[in-house]
């Protein structure tokens, strides 16, 4: 357990410290990647997205449309760049569409 402090600190700093001390960053990245995918892809792609899973630095996206899967596979590198820009750090290095 972390030592109690007497001075006041911002809530954002306290949450960041809590995440660091308890090693929760990987779990937070999983949640953040799902949010980023939803925000970036819009309703058209989200309607066909059945599962989003981050394992290590690989993002697995399950799609119910083979046509959409082939279209998105043409722009994998751009999607990876957009996701990492949205997250402000390099979380995704590889994208697998299934």
């Amino acid at each position: 357990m972390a030592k109690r402090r007497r001075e006041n600190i911002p809530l954002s700093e306290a949450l960041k410290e809590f995440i660091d001390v308890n090693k929760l960053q990987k779990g937070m990245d999983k949640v953040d990647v799902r949010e980023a995918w939803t925000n970036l892809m819009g309703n058209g792609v989200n309607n066909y997205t059945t599962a989003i899973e981050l394992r290590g630095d690989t993002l697995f996206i399950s799609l119910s449309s083979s046509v959409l899967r082939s279209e998105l596979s043409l722009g994998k590198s751009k999607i990876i760049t957009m996701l990492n820009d949205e997250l402000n750090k390099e979380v995704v290095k590889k994208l697998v569409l299934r």
Side-chain angles (χ1 to χ4, degrees):
M1 185 94 191
K3 185 177 175 183
R4 186 175 275 205
R5 297 183 186 179
R6 296 285 177 203
E7 73 273 2
N8 295 329
I9 61 171
L11 183 59
S12 61
E13 188 178 321
L15 288 173
K16 184 177 180 332
E17 185 179 325
F18 179 79
I19 289 170
D20 291 341
V21 168
N22 293 302
K23 298 177 180 148
L24 300 174
Q25 191 58 50
K26 287 183 182 180
M28 294 300 293
D29 287 344
K30 289 179 181 182
V31 172
D32 292 341
V33 164
R34 284 183 182 186
E35 238 177 72
W37 177 267
T38 305
N39 292 340
L40 289 174
M41 292 300 136
N43 288 336
V45 175
N46 287 328
N47 287 338
Y48 294 103
T49 302
T50 56
I52 303 168
E53 184 180 354
L54 180 67
R55 284 191 228 149
D57 59 359
T58 305
L59 181 63
F60 294 90
I61 304 291
S62 297
L63 299 166
S64 61
S65 169
S66 60
V67 175
L68 180 62
R69 185 178 326 115
S70 65
E71 287 292 320
L72 290 178
S73 67
L74 297 174
K76 279 185 182 181
S77 61
K78 184 176 180 183
I79 293 171
I80 292 170
T81 304
M82 288 171 43
L83 286 169
N84 288 329
D85 287 346
E86 178 81 13
L87 298 170
N88 296 322
K89 60 182 176 178
E90 191 171 334
V91 175
V92 179
K93 292 184 182 174
K94 187 176 177 187
L95 179 64
V96 176
L97 301 169
R98 35 181 174 168

